[in-house]
Amino acid sequence: MNKLKTIYICSNCGVTSPRWLGKCPSCEAWNSYVEEVVAKEEKSSKRSSWKELAASSTQILSTSLEEIQVSQADRIQTGDSELDRALGGGLVKGSVTLLAGQPGIGKSTLLLQMALTVNTGKVLYVSGEESEEQIKLRADRIQKQKSNCYLYSENRILNILAEAARLKPGLLIVDSVQTLASDDLESAPGTISQIRECCHQLIRFAKESETPVFLIGHINKEGDIAGPKLLEHMVDTVLQFEGDKLYAYRMLRTLKNRFGSTDEMSLYEMQSTGLRPITNPSELLLSQHEEKLSGSAIAATIEGQRPLLIETQALVGAAVYSTPQRVANGFDTRRMSMLLAVLEKRCGFFFGQQDVFLNLAGGIRINDPALDLAVVASLISSLEDNALHRQICFAGEIGLSGEIRSVSKIEQRVAEAARLGFKAICISKYNLKGWDPEKYKIKIVPLATVNELYEKVFAK
Ligand code: TYD
Ligand code: MG
């Protein structure tokens, strides 16, 4: 029988050592050594060379691409259209999905909801964090009717896999990978080696039994999935659940998907009875007030595959301290500084002695360069205390010389703005090619530079 032995590996450069080291002598990284279990090879087994192996049998083991039959990768519907969309159309048999997010964001709630609605025989929900009664209380709160869900409070991987083999569930959910432990390792649950070993075993189980497996993973302070990148490499799909805890909105992003697109985003609202999918986000994210307020501009953004109209708000005021404050929520602070520099240098607006605060409605974070134009419009609007018309929206990227650049999927943005009843949309003049602006019941305002934005939109 093979004997188990532990070695230590530098997770940065891969050098091994029989002892744990604080600093890697090879790559000089600190605190990078992790424990690893290796099975000692039996000395007696004689290795044969590839020439001998090839001579012993002439049978070809590889298969030509044409001969491979693909069974229609039938998707299992989760009963939650937003989750299905994030997964690329539903769950795939034998796939392993990691749901990552900060503690308290709603990961357990989302997956318990799925466990109660998914359309696949029995579901085994394993929790190493909560007792069965606690999960039951949560399930009562969510109030979903149909249920074929089995709860198991356990963190030893051996027991979990044994239970899964006995129950033969159509879906296995493990909450969370950081609590899992394998008896073969000495290290505590949550360490890299434990996470890696337990995930390996779960992935093997998923592939062999064709059971889809969902893993919950916590995110550490730096924003990485605790038990780092290696976990993301191992699984098929990585979903990230994020949002500002002060707001009820939660975003589910697809970071990696072997069975679908990666730029999907789904929105949820946390209510007292669980998470409610938001199917029409734009209408919700636009503020309800009727009056014109300075410092507010609407951006026509695209998040994933879908257009999203969102309000940007800026507040510019005389700085109280000698160093003016620059604060942005939901928008990159460095990008905001760059836009302020462009406004100063190219357009003659002076923000030097002004505090600048910028906010995206709903505590939502969006990475779309097309936000630039709305951000600049809201900054100018607040600086000059000049309110924009409520029925106008913006989509354009700003370059360093103050030029307005074209953005992707312009037609979708224009269509969404028209659908929501906006009267005009400001876009880059280079964005007019390849589609018919006449098709939409909205005025298109083509702009070349930020100066032109000021002349056409602000100047009376
Ligand atoms: P939870 O799913 O436990 O978060 P995670 O597993 O990511 O740590 O959810 C945590 C928060 O959600 C908790 O603060 C309470 C809140 N919540 C609601 O507001 N409504 C609900 O119906 C439920 C179940 C939870
Ligand atoms: Mg939880």
Side-chain angles (χ1 to χ4, degrees):
M1 218 190 90
N2 286 355
K3 225 173 130 195
L4 290 178
K5 174 195 163 199
T6 55
I7 54 163
Y8 293 85
I9 301 183
C10 171
S11 56
N12 196 33
C13 66
V15 162
T16 58
S17 151
R19 300 173 290 121
W20 186 84
L21 297 174
K23 184 183 178 188
C24 176
S26 168
C27 68
E28 306 202 328
W30 286 94
N31 214 5
S32 60
Y33 272 76
V34 291
E35 184 193 16
E36 187 93 345
V37 167
V38 285
K40 252 192 192 168
E41 289 212 5
E42 289 192 10
K43 291 263 160 36
S44 58
S45 67
K46 198 176 135 274
R47 289 250 179 112
S48 47
S49 77
W50 62 267
K51 279 184 185 162
E52 286 167 14
L53 209 59
S56 68
S57 158
T58 51
Q59 197 194 347
I60 306 287
L61 299 177
S62 50
T63 320
S64 117
L65 202 57
E66 275 89 48
E67 283 170 31
I68 298 174
Q69 300 284 326
V70 184
S71 61
Q72 246 324 304
D74 41 349
R75 304 261 181 172
I76 302 162
Q77 301 303 310
T78 61
D80 173 347
S81 57
E82 293 293 292
L83 186 59
D84 283 343
R85 182 229 296 278
L87 291 167
L91 274 171
V92 176
K93 274 190 186 151
S95 66
V96 180
T97 308
L98 174 70
L99 175 69
Q102 287 182 334
I105 206 78
K107 303 180 293 297
S108 308
T109 310
L110 183 72
L111 291 196
L112 185 60
Q113 255 176 243
M114 177 181 74
L116 299 180
T117 55
V118 70
N119 190 12
T120 169
K122 296 175 200 155
V123 179
L124 179 58
Y125 187 104
V126 181
S127 180
E129 299 193 339
E130 290 161 304
S131 70
E132 282 135 24
E133 291 86 59
Q134 281 173 313
I135 306 170
K136 168 80 177 146
L137 281 177
R138 188 195 301 254
D140 288 344
R141 215 173 147 183
I142 297 171
Q143 296 168 345
K144 290 270 187 283
Q145 292 304 316
K146 191 174 137 277
S147 164
N148 204 357
C149 180
Y150 292 73
L151 304 179
Y152 186 31
S153 190
E154 177 60 69
N155 71 346
R156 273 163 299 173
I157 188 72
L158 206 67
N159 294 355
I160 294 172
L161 292 176
E163 179 63 16
R166 283 190 292 261
L167 187 70
K168 298 196 176 53
L171 170 66
L172 171 65
I173 297 171
V174 180
D175 185 4
S176 64
V177 285
Q178 276 87 8
T179 58
L180 293 180
S182 159
D183 291 338
D184 292 340
L185 296 177
E186 284 170 19
S187 51
T191 50
I192 294 182
S193 45
Q194 283 283 13
I195 291 177
R196 166 139 66 167
E197 174 63 21
C198 296
C199 283
H200 250 305
Q201 298 199 26
L202 281 167
I203 290 169
R204 200 174 320 139
F205 168 79
K207 305 291 168 204
E208 282 171 6
S209 65
E210 295 218 314
T211 313
V213 173
F214 251 94
L215 307 172
I216 289 182
H218 293 298
I219 277 182
N220 58 19
K221 277 201 212 97
E222 289 83 46
D224 291 331
I225 295 165
K229 289 283 174 222
L230 100 202
L231 198 55
E232 293 177 49
H233 292 306
M234 287 163 75
V235 300
D236 299 309
T237 305
V238 180
L239 304 178
Q240 183 151 320
F241 208 34
E242 57 185 44
D244 193 326
K245 277 202 203 143
L246 295 176
Y247 294 89
Y249 302 122
R250 303 282 182 267
M251 272 168 290
L252 185 67
R253 286 179 202 275
T254 312
L255 302 187
K256 165 182 174 180
N257 195 352
R258 288 194 180 139
F259 314 110
S261 140
T262 48
D263 49 5
E264 291 294 355
M265 197 227 12
S266 302
L267 267 176
Y268 289 88
E269 186 179 2
M270 180 63 97
Q271 296 182 332
S272 58
T273 52
L275 287 156
R276 186 180 68 89
I278 300 174
T279 39
N280 206 349
S282 296
E283 280 163 25
L284 214 104
L285 293 172
L286 296 176
S287 59
Q288 315 295 319
H289 59 86
E290 289 290 313
E291 64 274 29
K292 293 203 302 183
L293 298 172
S294 71
S296 151
I298 313 285
T301 66
I302 295 266
E303 195 49 41
Q305 298 294 331
R306 87 175 143 181
L308 191 67
L309 266 72
I310 188 164
E311 183 171 344
T312 63
Q313 290 182 324
L315 182 65
V316 179
V320 188
Y321 303 108
S322 54
T323 313
Q325 297 191 66
R326 302 272 187 262
V327 183
N329 288 318
F331 192 75
D332 185 16
T333 313
R334 277 175 301 172
R335 182 104 197 145
M336 180 178 78
S337 304
M338 187 215 98
L339 294 176
L340 289 171
V342 170
L343 284 174
E344 291 236 15
K345 178 86 181 171
R346 308 284 175 198
C347 317
F349 293 105
F350 293 105
F351 288 92
Q353 281 311 306
Q354 307 279 345
D355 283 338
V356 179
F357 304 94
L358 186 75
N359 222 350
L360 284 199
I364 288 201
R365 184 176 60 83
I366 285 182
N367 303 316
D368 181 1
L371 262 175
D372 286 357
L373 194 57
V375 167
V376 161
S378 63
L379 288 170
I380 298 175
S381 164
S382 181
L383 181 74
E384 302 234 309
D385 206 9
N386 184 352
L388 284 162
H389 196 284
R390 296 279 316 149
Q391 300 295 321
I392 186 166
C393 62
F394 302 85
E397 185 184 347
I398 309 254
L400 285 182
S401 19
E403 82 276 20
I404 298 172
R405 298 199 183 158
S406 59
V407 291
S408 63
K409 301 186 182 134
I410 190 70
E411 223 179 321
Q412 265 170 278
R413 298 173 200 263
V414 172
E416 177 77 352
R419 190 180 73 79
L420 290 169
F422 279 83
K423 298 274 183 295
I425 179 165
C426 295
I427 64 170
S428 162
K429 78 170 195 194
Y430 307 105
N431 241 157
L432 286 173
K433 287 181 218 119
W435 59 290
D436 177 21
E438 301 292 314
K439 222 167 85 186
Y440 301 96
K441 279 201 194 103
I442 186 169
K443 186 174 173 223
I444 312 274
V445 186
L447 301 172
T449 61
V450 177
N451 281 321
E452 206 180 328
L453 165 80
Y454 185 71
E455 284 157 23
K456 287 204 177 154
V457 178
F458 287 95
K460 296 240 163 78

